[in-house]
Structure formats: structure tokens, C-alpha cells
Amino acid sequence: MKEEFKRFCESLNKQEDINIIINAKAVAVGILNFKTDNKKAFELAKKRFENHCKSCKFSIEEPIPELRVEDEKISELSGKTCGDCGCILSYKLRQSVKKCSRWEQ
């Protein structure tokens, strides 16, 4: 995984579109926090899920089975994606680079 992130960062450094950079960084941070079991990010994800995503109309089942993520820490997030932006919720809720417009924090 370390080598994959290194290549990702190198390609990101060559990018000039700020929106692509922010979106890519948000996804990378979310994946990293999920994979490394970051405790602070886990607590934040639980809070965001309970306060916002649990009742959000955009919190949907990922339509592509191969893209579904099993979330062992927050089982309600397993297989869920954001129907608005397309992000995997297990990753999106564990990052603070790009916040959802529906989050209050």
C-alpha cells in the first residue's frame, strides 16, 4: 500500500486542476484512515453517520457489487455509497479534506 500511495502522490503533484487535487486528496485520506484504523477518524465517522448520513436520502447501497466496502467497525456503512457525489461512505466519513455540504461540522 505504501508504494501505491507514493505513486498516487507523485501523479497528484503533476495535476494542475485544484478541484481534482482536493477530491483525490480527500479520497486518499479517507482510504488511509479506513485501512489504518485511525481512531479519531473512526469516531468522527460514527458521529457523522448518526447525525447526517443515517437519514440522508443520498446514503444508498453501492450499485456495483465489486465496489462495495465491508466496514467491520461501522456495520451500517458496509456497502454504502453517497448517491450525490459517488463516494464510498466508509471512506468519505473518515476524512476532513472535503466536507459534505450536508454536514454541520
Side-chain angles (χ1 to χ4, degrees), residues 34-49:
F34 178 80
K35 298 281 186 183
T36 60
D37 198 23
N38 181 299
K39 303 295 183 218
K40 185 176 177 181
F42 163 72
E43 292 299 327
L44 188 58
K46 277 193 338 185
K47 188 175 181 179
R48 287 174 173 167
F49 176 73

Side-chain angles (χ1 to χ4, degrees), residues 12-69:
L12 197 56
N13 284 335
K14 297 173 187 171
Q15 184 56 248
E16 294 180 13
D17 184 333
I18 190 69
N19 290 321
I20 291 174
I21 294 169
I22 291 170
N23 290 340
K25 185 176 179 184
V27 171
V29 168
I31 291 170
L32 184 63
N33 287 339
F34 178 80
K35 298 281 186 183
T36 60
D37 198 23
N38 181 299
K39 303 295 183 218
K40 185 176 177 181
F42 163 72
E43 292 299 327
L44 188 58
K46 277 193 338 185
K47 188 175 181 179
R48 287 174 173 167
F49 176 73
E50 287 298 324
N51 293 339
H52 307 288
C53 300
K54 189 174 189 174
S55 60
C56 181
K57 68 179 181 179
F58 293 112
S59 179
I60 62 170
E61 183 75 19
E62 169 58 56
I64 303 170
E66 294 81 16
L67 296 180
R68 293 181 189 149
V69 170

